[in-house]
Amino acid sequence: MQSIRPLRSSITTLRLVRRSRTYATTSRSDADLYDVVIVGGGPAGLSLASSLRSSSVTNGLRVALIESLDLEPTRKWNPAPGTYSNRVSSLTPGSAGFLQDIGVWEHVKRDRVQAYKGMKVWDGVSGSRITFDADLQDGASTIAYMCENNNLTSSLLSRISQLGEGIDILDKTRVEKISYGEDTGELDLRSWPVVTVSSGKQLAARLLVGADGANSPVRTFADIESRGWDYGRHGVVATLNLSEEQLGEKTAFQRFLPTGPVAMLPLPGPHASLVWSTTPENAVALKSMSPTDFAAMVNAAFRLSHVDLDYIFANVKTGIANEVAWREKNTAFDPWRVPATVTGVQEKTVASFPLKMRHADSYISERVALIGDAAHTVHPLAGQGLNQGIGDVRSLIKALEYAVQHGQDIGSVLSLEPYYSEQYLKNHVMLGVVDKLHKLYATTSAPVVVARSLGLDLVDKLGPLKKFFMAQAAGR
Ligand SMILES: Cc1cc2nc3c(=O)[nH]c(=O)nc-3n(C[C@H](O)[C@H](O)[C@H](O)COP(=O)(O)OP(=O)(O)OC[C@H]3O[C@@H](n4cnc5c(N)ncnc54)[C@H](O)[C@@H]3O)c2cc1C
């Protein structure tokens, strides 16, 4: 039987004799023993590492984090004022509250975060619309905070370093292989995952956490199936400069086009973040446009009919800005729904990502837990992916604290089960709602358009129902 005492104060290095299927039968090498090995230094992995160190219950655990990228540029992240990364996430008040609780929020560069209290959403075919206002929520002043992913990960690293020694961060290090350990006579590690990394080092984990993104090697090791589908859509992102004269209250705009939703989300000053889900062909066209044509197309996406947009994408290869200007002059659009005019796009910020929906069959198995995109990948139309990952961390840390306080083995399914029970169904419902929304708005079929428009108008008029939807999305 393994000891369930945290390892930091006990044995840390062990000479293992390998007889497993994966390794040569006679090889011998050192394996470091850890209570928790986290694979992945993205937002989810770093949030877990930070939480484990912040908690007075779990801060005695011996923890390692493995990340293939170099984290030094993130540690030193100090961008020029007025320039923004194209990877920005809307953090719900629930996520921000958790980050505050674990001492991370105070490290976030707040002058680069934009809170917003209003959101306008409309149907790009019928024009029916809905508004969300933070005032609808009891005591809330914000729907979400737009925060660059780099700002978050850099703050997580600052918090980890503020907490001092305790986490071995192995960056620029790839996981090469994961297999089970051995019964050495001294310790029976046959149920312990042993991670071999690119430097040759081996780490044996009482609990192995996969925070390693959508193609998770940890999930593959645990033989957990991940199911779903590709949307055949790409999310085009960019950082936009806006007309200063037209800047009003900070508001998020989202229009559902048959090819996918286009969203403009506020950043500080005259800037906004674009997420435009569209066909791979349109994404290629947008990425190859001049900055002037790109800005014109984004303006068109919020102003022109979807038929006009399809026409331009299919037929206009040069002079796009002129074509858009001419069509806008001849189109009556509702000022209610039109964001400030885009005047330019920041250099090197136009990029695209293929969009997919995936959900792992389970988040846990013996000595393994999955969090973040390793467990679920969601369409970005509701801005929930990273928030779900933070929700996973909040839940997993609670389960681990309980296990430590009650002398349980933190890697056992018994200890991990409360995490799975709390998060799986919640995430499944959110994945389902977002997936259905995408499909509902991807059609121009008249009966569906009428039905969805009536639904949108109805929810807009029914305060309590709207309040319910907002509470779900805000992570409360
Ligand atoms: C266009 C777009 C817009 C989005 N907008 C929002 C939004 O507004 N709000 C929101 O909440 N979410 C949003 N999301 C989702 C959000 O970006 C993701 O959910 C989040 O970044 C996932 O974080 P993660 O830490 O789970 O995974 P990742 O960020 O993928 O991190 C995984 C890490 O694991 C490392 N790794 C992988 N394999 C190995 C290996 N073998 N060895 C070592 N390291 C490894 C990788 O290098 C990586 O750093 C958006 C996504 C897209 C595509």
Side-chain angles (χ1 to χ4, degrees), residues 93-158:
S95 296
F98 176 68
L99 293 169
Q100 183 132 34
D101 291 346
I102 60 169
V104 172
W105 199 237
E106 69 194 59
H107 293 268
V108 170
K109 290 183 175 30
R110 295 299 299 276
D111 58 331
R112 300 185 63 86
V113 174
Q114 183 60 60
Y116 61 92
K117 62 184 294 264
M119 184 163 190
K120 296 180 175 185
V121 181
W122 70 103
D123 185 329
V125 177
S126 72
S128 69
R129 66 194 202 186
I130 188 164
T131 46
F132 293 102
D133 195 315
D135 292 341
L136 272 171
Q137 296 282 88
D138 305 322
S141 58
T142 303
I143 287 183
Y145 302 88
M146 291 304 294
C147 178
E148 294 156 287
N149 290 6
N150 282 340
N151 196 354
L152 176 58
T153 45
S154 147
S155 309
L156 287 161
L157 285 167
S158 298

Side-chain angles (χ1 to χ4, degrees), residues 326-382:
W326 179 81
R327 283 174 189 265
E328 278 182 7
K329 238 184 267 162
N330 294 291
T331 305
F333 43 81
D334 180 355
W336 174 88
R337 66 188 49 155
V338 177
T341 305
V342 178
T343 55
V345 54
Q346 295 195 352
E347 213 181 333
K348 295 192 181 140
T349 61
V350 182
S352 71
F353 303 89
L355 303 179
K356 54 189 173 186
M357 201 286 268
R358 293 281 190 283
H359 203 187
D361 282 354
S362 175
Y363 295 172
I364 60 168
S365 69
E366 193 65 20
R367 304 209 174 282
V368 173
L370 304 175
I371 58 171
D373 276 22
H376 41 70
T377 314
V378 63
H379 192 293
L381 72 85

Side-chain angles (χ1 to χ4, degrees), residues 45-120:
L46 288 172
S47 295
L48 180 64
S50 191
S51 311
L52 285 165
R53 287 291 290 125
S54 299
S55 160
S56 58
V57 178
T58 57
N59 66 3
L61 298 178
R62 188 163 193 251
V63 179
L65 182 142
I66 305 164
E67 166 57 49
S68 55
L69 299 176
D70 183 359
L71 292 176
E72 206 44 33
T74 312
R75 276 192 195 94
K76 292 185 179 148
W77 185 70
N78 191 19
T83 64
Y84 291 89
S85 156
N86 57 8
R87 291 309 310 272
V88 188
S89 293
S90 56
L91 293 177
T92 62
S95 296
F98 176 68
L99 293 169
Q100 183 132 34
D101 291 346
I102 60 169
V104 172
W105 199 237
E106 69 194 59
H107 293 268
V108 170
K109 290 183 175 30
R110 295 299 299 276
D111 58 331
R112 300 185 63 86
V113 174
Q114 183 60 60
Y116 61 92
K117 62 184 294 264
M119 184 163 190
K120 296 180 175 185

Side-chain angles (χ1 to χ4, degrees), residues 197-221:
V197 296
S198 38
S199 63
K201 182 181 164 77
Q202 294 180 332
L203 301 89
R206 191 191 297 280
L207 170 63
L208 176 64
V209 178
D212 42 358
N215 301 316
S216 165
V218 172
R219 194 182 59 226
T220 305
F221 162 75

